[in-house]
Amino acid sequence: MTNLQSTSHILMIRPVNFGFNEETAGSNAFQNRNAAKDDVNEKAQQEFDRMVNTLCSNGVDVTVIDDTHEPYTPDSIFPNNWISFHADGGIFLYPMQAENRRLERREDIIAKLEDSFAVKHIIDLSRFEVEDKFLEGTGSMVLDRENKLAYACLSPRTNREVLDLFCEQAGYKAISFDAIDEKGKAIYHTNVLMCIGSSFAVICLDSIPNPHEKVVVKESLISTKKEIIDISFDQMNQFAGNMLEVKNAEGENLIVMSKNAFNALEDRQKTTLGKYGKLIYSDINTIETNGGGSARCMMAEVHLPVGL
């Protein structure tokens, strides 16, 4: 079994009740309470559909599943937080901090994927919710799948004990650290400050205040032959760290991000990234400002083996 960093198979959830989630706002500084609220779900649906069309037109296999009106799940558009799919046929389910986000876990979504992919086992970590210990999937962790490394900034949503258990069960090594924004607030998810591709890493190194931890992260990236593209706090705040490398049907690398993230990058950074894949982007401003997440958060990569 080969662990590839990226895949051409993506799961995305089309929202029906998208909006500003009060239950997550306390720990997510990227949510904008003053964002425009008029027709927010309709605008989010339009942005979602455009992003799906962009991915599909570039040769990505996207499985779209509609959210349900009940129960109320305003953040269902970000499925990568509650589930992850792995090349050995394994699925992990994760403990979520916000109670209304726990309702996003749906067995029928897994059943739908089983029509096309082989599921060998499911490891459910959601039991940690009763202990107020959380690990929100590939939001909390940025996975180097090829080298079996899990980068994670510890926060109210990323608990070290659950992180260590994931690593034990999945055969990963944890590289944990503290990360803060320019105001000194803990960054809620690792995937807003860093992205790992097959041969590159985008990261806001300024967000790691501990010099030793910063060195450990940099040395790990260098030792795994990732070219480091350092972004600023301002770029991180425009979701320039929230990218995802995917493949198209021909096996070519694509680097997916939002329009805001693309516009925040300097030309030299775009040139460097362009060595490793085609840069594609979509305007998802309503989703970003209300949801506090961006393009990477909307895509759950399906690394499961194809077929039965």
Side-chain angles (χ1 to χ4, degrees), residues 35 56 58 60 93 101 104 106 123 141 145 178 188 194 196 206 219 236 272 302 304 307:
C56 291
N58 280 277
V60 181
L93 304 177
R101 294 219 60 192
E104 296 172 27
R106 289 169 48 188
I123 297 176
M141 303 177 292
R145 292 177 183 262
D178 291 320
Y188 80 110
M194 70 183 297
I196 291 183
D206 285 344
E219 288 184 346
M236 181 185 74
T272 301
V302 183
L304 298 170

PDB file of all heavy atoms in Angstrom, residues 35 56 58 60 93 101 104 106 123 141 145 178 188 194 196 206 219 236 272 302 304 307:
ATOM      1  N   ALA A  35     -19.982  40.186   9.146  1.00  0.00           N
ATOM      2  CA  ALA A  35     -20.149  39.812   7.740  1.00  0.00           C
ATOM      3  C   ALA A  35     -21.613  39.957   7.324  1.00  0.00           C
ATOM      4  O   ALA A  35     -22.533  39.822   8.139  1.00  0.00           O
ATOM      5  CB  ALA A  35     -19.684  38.375   7.520  1.00  0.00           C
ATOM      6  N   CYS A  56     -14.367  20.136 -10.950  1.00  0.00           N
ATOM      7  CA  CYS A  56     -14.748  19.133 -11.955  1.00  0.00           C
ATOM      8  C   CYS A  56     -14.192  19.484 -13.329  1.00  0.00           C
ATOM      9  O   CYS A  56     -13.737  18.596 -14.073  1.00  0.00           O
ATOM     10  CB  CYS A  56     -16.263  19.003 -12.007  1.00  0.00           C
ATOM     11  SG  CYS A  56     -17.003  18.259 -10.535  1.00  0.00           S
ATOM     12  N   ASN A  58     -11.535  20.847 -13.948  1.00  0.00           N
ATOM     13  CA  ASN A  58     -10.098  20.574 -13.934  1.00  0.00           C
ATOM     14  C   ASN A  58      -9.789  19.096 -13.720  1.00  0.00           C
ATOM     15  O   ASN A  58      -8.649  18.736 -13.444  1.00  0.00           O
ATOM     16  CB  ASN A  58      -9.407  21.420 -12.866  1.00  0.00           C
ATOM     17  CG  ASN A  58      -9.144  22.847 -13.305  1.00  0.00           C
ATOM     18  OD1 ASN A  58      -8.154  23.123 -13.976  1.00  0.00           O
ATOM     19  ND2 ASN A  58     -10.053  23.758 -12.968  1.00  0.00           N
ATOM     20  N   VAL A  60     -11.148  16.809 -11.444  1.00  0.00           N
ATOM     21  CA  VAL A  60     -11.227  16.211 -10.109  1.00  0.00           C
ATOM     22  C   VAL A  60     -12.554  15.478  -9.962  1.00  0.00           C
ATOM     23  O   VAL A  60     -13.604  15.962 -10.412  1.00  0.00           O
ATOM     24  CB  VAL A  60     -11.089  17.288  -9.011  1.00  0.00           C
ATOM     25  CG1 VAL A  60     -11.141  16.661  -7.626  1.00  0.00           C
ATOM     26  CG2 VAL A  60      -9.792  18.074  -9.194  1.00  0.00           C
ATOM     27  N   LEU A  93     -13.514   8.955  12.637  1.00  0.00           N
ATOM     28  CA  LEU A  93     -14.530   9.923  13.037  1.00  0.00           C
ATOM     29  C   LEU A  93     -14.001  10.672  14.253  1.00  0.00           C
ATOM     30  O   LEU A  93     -13.417  10.063  15.148  1.00  0.00           O
ATOM     31  CB  LEU A  93     -15.852   9.229  13.378  1.00  0.00           C
ATOM     32  CG  LEU A  93     -16.442   8.337  12.282  1.00  0.00           C
ATOM     33  CD1 LEU A  93     -17.719   7.668  12.784  1.00  0.00           C
ATOM     34  CD2 LEU A  93     -16.734   9.142  11.022  1.00  0.00           C
ATOM     35  N   ARG A 101     -22.025  20.902  15.681  1.00  0.00           N
ATOM     36  CA  ARG A 101     -21.153  20.313  14.667  1.00  0.00           C
ATOM     37  C   ARG A 101     -21.099  18.794  14.808  1.00  0.00           C
ATOM     38  O   ARG A 101     -20.832  18.088  13.827  1.00  0.00           O
ATOM     39  CB  ARG A 101     -19.747  20.902  14.745  1.00  0.00           C
ATOM     40  CG  ARG A 101     -19.683  22.392  14.392  1.00  0.00           C
ATOM     41  CD  ARG A 101     -18.452  22.720  13.592  1.00  0.00           C
ATOM     42  NE  ARG A 101     -18.406  21.991  12.334  1.00  0.00           N
ATOM     43  CZ  ARG A 101     -17.324  21.924  11.557  1.00  0.00           C
ATOM     44  NH1 ARG A 101     -16.213  22.523  11.933  1.00  0.00           N
ATOM     45  NH2 ARG A 101     -17.357  21.256  10.429  1.00  0.00           N
ATOM     46  N   GLU A 104     -23.167  16.750  12.386  1.00  0.00           N
ATOM     47  CA  GLU A 104     -22.767  16.592  10.987  1.00  0.00           C
ATOM     48  C   GLU A 104     -22.399  15.151  10.647  1.00  0.00           C
ATOM     49  O   GLU A 104     -22.424  14.765   9.478  1.00  0.00           O
ATOM     50  CB  GLU A 104     -21.574  17.507  10.680  1.00  0.00           C
ATOM     51  CG  GLU A 104     -21.880  18.991  10.800  1.00  0.00           C
ATOM     52  CD  GLU A 104     -20.626  19.846  10.685  1.00  0.00           C
ATOM     53  OE1 GLU A 104     -19.654  19.396  10.035  1.00  0.00           O
ATOM     54  OE2 GLU A 104     -20.603  20.956  11.246  1.00  0.00           O
ATOM     55  N   ARG A 106     -22.742  11.613   9.692  1.00  0.00           N
ATOM     56  CA  ARG A 106     -23.862  10.916   9.063  1.00  0.00           C
ATOM     57  C   ARG A 106     -23.405   9.577   8.494  1.00  0.00           C
ATOM     58  O   ARG A 106     -22.518   9.522   7.645  1.00  0.00           O
ATOM     59  CB  ARG A 106     -24.471  11.776   7.943  1.00  0.00           C
ATOM     60  CG  ARG A 106     -25.237  12.974   8.426  1.00  0.00           C
ATOM     61  CD  ARG A 106     -25.586  13.928   7.272  1.00  0.00           C
ATOM     62  NE  ARG A 106     -26.155  13.244   6.115  1.00  0.00           N
ATOM     63  CZ  ARG A 106     -26.387  13.873   4.939  1.00  0.00           C
ATOM     64  NH1 ARG A 106     -26.079  15.150   4.794  1.00  0.00           N
ATOM     65  NH2 ARG A 106     -26.909  13.201   3.932  1.00  0.00           N
ATOM     66  N   ILE A 123     -12.725   3.843  12.802  1.00  0.00           N
ATOM     67  CA  ILE A 123     -12.259   4.119  14.163  1.00  0.00           C
ATOM     68  C   ILE A 123     -12.942   5.400  14.636  1.00  0.00           C
ATOM     69  O   ILE A 123     -12.737   6.467  14.053  1.00  0.00           O
ATOM     70  CB  ILE A 123     -10.724   4.261  14.219  1.00  0.00           C
ATOM     71  CG1 ILE A 123     -10.076   2.936  13.807  1.00  0.00           C
ATOM     72  CG2 ILE A 123     -10.270   4.676  15.618  1.00  0.00           C
ATOM     73  CD1 ILE A 123      -8.566   2.980  13.741  1.00  0.00           C
ATOM     74  N   MET A 141      -5.351  18.706  12.332  1.00  0.00           N
ATOM     75  CA  MET A 141      -4.091  18.108  11.890  1.00  0.00           C
ATOM     76  C   MET A 141      -3.867  18.391  10.405  1.00  0.00           C
ATOM     77  O   MET A 141      -4.807  18.290   9.612  1.00  0.00           O
ATOM     78  CB  MET A 141      -4.115  16.587  12.087  1.00  0.00           C
ATOM     79  CG  MET A 141      -4.384  16.128  13.504  1.00  0.00           C
ATOM     80  SD  MET A 141      -4.467  14.313  13.613  1.00  0.00           S
ATOM     81  CE  MET A 141      -6.001  13.975  12.698  1.00  0.00           C
ATOM     82  N   ARG A 145       0.923  12.626   4.500  1.00  0.00           N
ATOM     83  CA  ARG A 145       0.507  11.229   4.370  1.00  0.00           C
ATOM     84  C   ARG A 145       1.651  10.341   3.898  1.00  0.00           C
ATOM     85  O   ARG A 145       1.728   9.174   4.281  1.00  0.00           O
ATOM     86  CB  ARG A 145      -0.696  11.125   3.421  1.00  0.00           C
ATOM     87  CG  ARG A 145      -1.974  11.756   3.995  1.00  0.00           C
ATOM     88  CD  ARG A 145      -3.130  11.687   2.995  1.00  0.00           C
ATOM     89  NE  ARG A 145      -4.334  12.331   3.488  1.00  0.00           N
ATOM     90  CZ  ARG A 145      -5.375  11.701   4.052  1.00  0.00           C
ATOM     91  NH1 ARG A 145      -5.326  10.384   4.220  1.00  0.00           N
ATOM     92  NH2 ARG A 145      -6.444  12.369   4.452  1.00  0.00           N
ATOM     93  N   ASP A 178       2.454  25.091  19.714  1.00  0.00           N
ATOM     94  CA  ASP A 178       1.491  26.150  19.967  1.00  0.00           C
ATOM     95  C   ASP A 178       1.570  27.158  18.833  1.00  0.00           C
ATOM     96  O   ASP A 178       2.643  27.409  18.274  1.00  0.00           O
ATOM     97  CB  ASP A 178       1.775  26.847  21.299  1.00  0.00           C
ATOM     98  CG  ASP A 178       1.499  25.951  22.493  1.00  0.00           C
ATOM     99  OD1 ASP A 178       0.489  25.213  22.452  1.00  0.00           O
ATOM    100  OD2 ASP A 178       2.281  25.974  23.455  1.00  0.00           O
ATOM    101  N   TYR A 188      -7.188  28.324  16.004  1.00  0.00           N
ATOM    102  CA  TYR A 188      -8.110  27.228  16.308  1.00  0.00           C
ATOM    103  C   TYR A 188      -7.822  25.952  15.529  1.00  0.00           C
ATOM    104  O   TYR A 188      -8.024  24.849  16.034  1.00  0.00           O
ATOM    105  CB  TYR A 188      -9.559  27.684  16.091  1.00  0.00           C
ATOM    106  CG  TYR A 188     -10.046  27.677  14.666  1.00  0.00           C
ATOM    107  CD1 TYR A 188     -11.000  26.757  14.234  1.00  0.00           C
ATOM    108  CD2 TYR A 188      -9.580  28.595  13.726  1.00  0.00           C
ATOM    109  CE1 TYR A 188     -11.468  26.749  12.933  1.00  0.00           C
ATOM    110  CE2 TYR A 188     -10.039  28.605  12.429  1.00  0.00           C
ATOM    111  CZ  TYR A 188     -10.979  27.686  12.038  1.00  0.00           C
ATOM    112  OH  TYR A 188     -11.439  27.665  10.744  1.00  0.00           O
ATOM    113  N   MET A 194      -1.083  26.355   7.852  1.00  0.00           N
ATOM    114  CA  MET A 194      -0.155  25.594   7.017  1.00  0.00           C
ATOM    115  C   MET A 194      -0.859  24.607   6.101  1.00  0.00           C
ATOM    116  O   MET A 194      -1.976  24.155   6.380  1.00  0.00           O
ATOM    117  CB  MET A 194       0.891  24.865   7.861  1.00  0.00           C
ATOM    118  CG  MET A 194       0.389  23.708   8.678  1.00  0.00           C
ATOM    119  SD  MET A 194       1.693  22.941   9.712  1.00  0.00           S
ATOM    120  CE  MET A 194       2.855  22.340   8.490  1.00  0.00           C
ATOM    121  N   ILE A 196       0.411  21.250   3.421  1.00  0.00           N
ATOM    122  CA  ILE A 196       1.516  20.399   2.961  1.00  0.00           C
ATOM    123  C   ILE A 196       1.132  19.729   1.649  1.00  0.00           C
ATOM    124  O   ILE A 196       0.081  19.087   1.548  1.00  0.00           O
ATOM    125  CB  ILE A 196       1.880  19.342   4.015  1.00  0.00           C
ATOM    126  CG1 ILE A 196       2.518  20.016   5.223  1.00  0.00           C
ATOM    127  CG2 ILE A 196       2.816  18.288   3.439  1.00  0.00           C
ATOM    128  CD1 ILE A 196       2.989  19.075   6.288  1.00  0.00           C
ATOM    129  N   ASP A 206       5.615  32.838  11.530  1.00  0.00           N
ATOM    130  CA  ASP A 206       5.488  33.855  12.583  1.00  0.00           C
ATOM    131  C   ASP A 206       4.445  33.474  13.629  1.00  0.00           C
ATOM    132  O   ASP A 206       4.452  34.012  14.735  1.00  0.00           O
ATOM    133  CB  ASP A 206       5.118  35.206  11.980  1.00  0.00           C
ATOM    134  CG  ASP A 206       6.294  35.883  11.285  1.00  0.00           C
ATOM    135  OD1 ASP A 206       7.437  35.461  11.529  1.00  0.00           O
ATOM    136  OD2 ASP A 206       6.051  36.826  10.505  1.00  0.00           O
ATOM    137  N   GLU A 219      12.673  22.011  10.585  1.00  0.00           N
ATOM    138  CA  GLU A 219      13.585  20.907  10.302  1.00  0.00           C
ATOM    139  C   GLU A 219      12.844  19.680   9.799  1.00  0.00           C
ATOM    140  O   GLU A 219      13.343  18.945   8.937  1.00  0.00           O
ATOM    141  CB  GLU A 219      14.411  20.575  11.547  1.00  0.00           C
ATOM    142  CG  GLU A 219      15.462  21.634  11.878  1.00  0.00           C
ATOM    143  CD  GLU A 219      16.340  21.249  13.048  1.00  0.00           C
ATOM    144  OE1 GLU A 219      15.984  20.290  13.775  1.00  0.00           O
ATOM    145  OE2 GLU A 219      17.387  21.906  13.243  1.00  0.00           O
ATOM    146  N   MET A 236      -2.132  34.870   5.983  1.00  0.00           N
ATOM    147  CA  MET A 236      -2.861  33.816   6.682  1.00  0.00           C
ATOM    148  C   MET A 236      -4.297  34.240   6.935  1.00  0.00           C
ATOM    149  O   MET A 236      -5.233  33.432   6.782  1.00  0.00           O
ATOM    150  CB  MET A 236      -2.168  33.493   8.011  1.00  0.00           C
ATOM    151  CG  MET A 236      -2.847  32.381   8.806  1.00  0.00           C
ATOM    152  SD  MET A 236      -2.111  32.112  10.443  1.00  0.00           S
ATOM    153  CE  MET A 236      -2.731  33.569  11.325  1.00  0.00           C
ATOM    154  N   THR A 272       6.604  30.066  -7.170  1.00  0.00           N
ATOM    155  CA  THR A 272       7.129  28.894  -6.470  1.00  0.00           C
ATOM    156  C   THR A 272       6.086  27.787  -6.402  1.00  0.00           C
ATOM    157  O   THR A 272       6.371  26.621  -6.718  1.00  0.00           O
ATOM    158  CB  THR A 272       7.580  29.274  -5.055  1.00  0.00           C
ATOM    159  OG1 THR A 272       8.582  30.295  -5.131  1.00  0.00           O
ATOM    160  CG2 THR A 272       8.156  28.065  -4.325  1.00  0.00           C
ATOM    161  N   VAL A 302     -10.710  11.733  -0.255  1.00  0.00           N
ATOM    162  CA  VAL A 302     -11.061  10.316  -0.139  1.00  0.00           C
ATOM    163  C   VAL A 302      -9.880   9.493  -0.648  1.00  0.00           C
ATOM    164  O   VAL A 302      -9.689   9.317  -1.856  1.00  0.00           O
ATOM    165  CB  VAL A 302     -12.344   9.988  -0.911  1.00  0.00           C
ATOM    166  CG1 VAL A 302     -12.712   8.514  -0.715  1.00  0.00           C
ATOM    167  CG2 VAL A 302     -13.499  10.888  -0.471  1.00  0.00           C
ATOM    168  N   LEU A 304      -9.493   6.333   0.198  1.00  0.00           N
ATOM    169  CA  LEU A 304      -9.889   4.915   0.259  1.00  0.00           C
ATOM    170  C   LEU A 304      -9.572   4.209  -1.049  1.00  0.00           C
ATOM    171  O   LEU A 304      -9.605   4.831  -2.117  1.00  0.00           O
ATOM    172  CB  LEU A 304     -11.387   4.820   0.541  1.00  0.00           C
ATOM    173  CG  LEU A 304     -11.916   5.392   1.851  1.00  0.00           C
ATOM    174  CD1 LEU A 304     -13.432   5.429   1.833  1.00  0.00           C
ATOM    175  CD2 LEU A 304     -11.416   4.579   3.039  1.00  0.00           C
ATOM    176  N   GLY A 307     -13.202   0.760  -5.518  1.00  0.00           N
ATOM    177  CA  GLY A 307     -13.812  -0.537  -5.786  1.00  0.00           C
ATOM    178  C   GLY A 307     -14.034  -1.342  -4.526  1.00  0.00           C
ATOM    179  O   GLY A 307     -13.664  -0.963  -3.433  1.00  0.00           O
TER     180      GLY A 307
END
